[in-house]
Amino acid sequence: MRKTVRRVVAWGLAMGLAAVFGIVGAARAEIAPNAYFLPSQGVVGQELTLVGTGFPSDAEVLVSTDDRDQPSPAGQTNRVGNFTVSFTVPALAPGPQMAFITVEDVEWTVQFTVVASDASSPPDAGDAAGALWFEPPAGTVGQELQLIGLGFPADTDVSVTTSASPAPTLVGKSGSNGSFTLPFTVPDLAPGQH
C-alpha cells in the first residue's frame, strides 16, 4: 500500500509539473508580436532603435518603409523572439510613416514620425524651442527611460532638474544636429505628473 501511495504521489507530482510547464509553454506560444521605436520620432538621418517582442526565435529581421519594396536585413531575433535593431530615419516627408517588419512568416507594421528639420537656422543657445519627451512616457521609481530632444543647440550640455533634485544634473550632450537620446532614471518622486 505504501509503495502504491508513493507511486500515486510521484505520478501526481509529475502530472502537475507537466501541466504547469505545458501551460507556461502554451502561454509563451501565444505571445502576440509587438514592435515600437525608441524614440518614436526623429529627423531624417537620425538613428532610432526598433524593438520587437514575441516574434519567431533565432530568425532574420527584415525592415522596409514601403510595403512594395524588398525589405532589408536589419538584425536577428534572439532565442525568445525579441530583437533590438538600429533604424535610420529615411528621407521621407515629415509626418507619420510606417515601417514594415517581416520575421519568417510574421509581418508587422509600426508607426514612426519624421520630424521636419530646418538645418538652415539652428536654435540659439538661449532658445528653448526644441521638442522634449520621454520614451516610454511614464515609469516607476528606478526605471530607466529615454530622454529625447530634437531642435536644440548643437553640441551643448543637457542638464535635467526635477523636484527631487532641484540642482541641474548633467545627463549628456546634444549631437551635431541638436538632437539627443539619453538615459534618465526615474527619481524617487510621488506618483503623478512632474
Side-chain angles (χ1 to χ4, degrees):
M1 169 102 170
R2 202 170 196 178
K3 210 176 209 181
T4 304
V5 169
R6 285 186 188 155
R7 285 184 183 158
V8 169
V9 168
W11 181 82
L13 182 61
M15 292 307 291
L17 288 172
V20 167
F21 287 115
I23 290 169
V24 169
R28 181 82 183 125
E30 294 177 19
I31 294 176
N34 188 28
Y36 55 92
F37 282 103
L38 286 176
S40 61
Q41 56 187 347
V43 296
V44 172
Q46 180 179 345
E47 187 173 291
L48 308 179
T49 300
L50 178 56
V51 178
T53 59
F55 286 86
S57 60
D58 299 313
E60 185 176 41
V61 177
L62 304 170
V63 179
S64 172
T65 54
D66 186 337
D67 62 348
R68 297 174 305 240
D69 287 347
Q70 182 69 24
S72 301
Q76 190 88 6
T77 60
N78 63 16
R79 64 182 175 79
V80 295
N82 300 337
F83 64 84
T84 301
V85 298
S86 295
F87 175 86
T88 302
V89 177
L92 297 171
Q97 301 290 341
M98 298 302 287
F100 301 91
I101 303 165
T102 304
V103 179
E104 289 185 353
D105 61 342
V106 177
E107 294 180 352
W108 195 258
T109 57
V110 61
Q111 182 175 306
F112 65 100
T113 302
V114 177
V115 178
S117 171
D118 184 6
S120 64
S121 58
D124 295 328
D127 189 5
L132 185 66
W133 70 96
F134 287 104
E135 291 279 348
T140 58
V141 172
Q143 180 180 351
E144 186 173 286
L145 309 177
Q146 296 298 311
L147 175 62
I148 297 138
L150 296 172
F152 286 90
D155 302 314
T156 56
D157 290 339
V158 176
S159 296
V160 174
T161 302
T162 67
S163 55
S165 174
T169 303
L170 180 66
V171 293
K173 204 169 188 79
S174 64
S176 61
N177 63 357
S179 68
F180 55 85
T181 301
L182 301 167
F184 175 82
T185 302
V186 176
D188 191 10
L189 296 169
Q193 189 170 2
H194 296 275

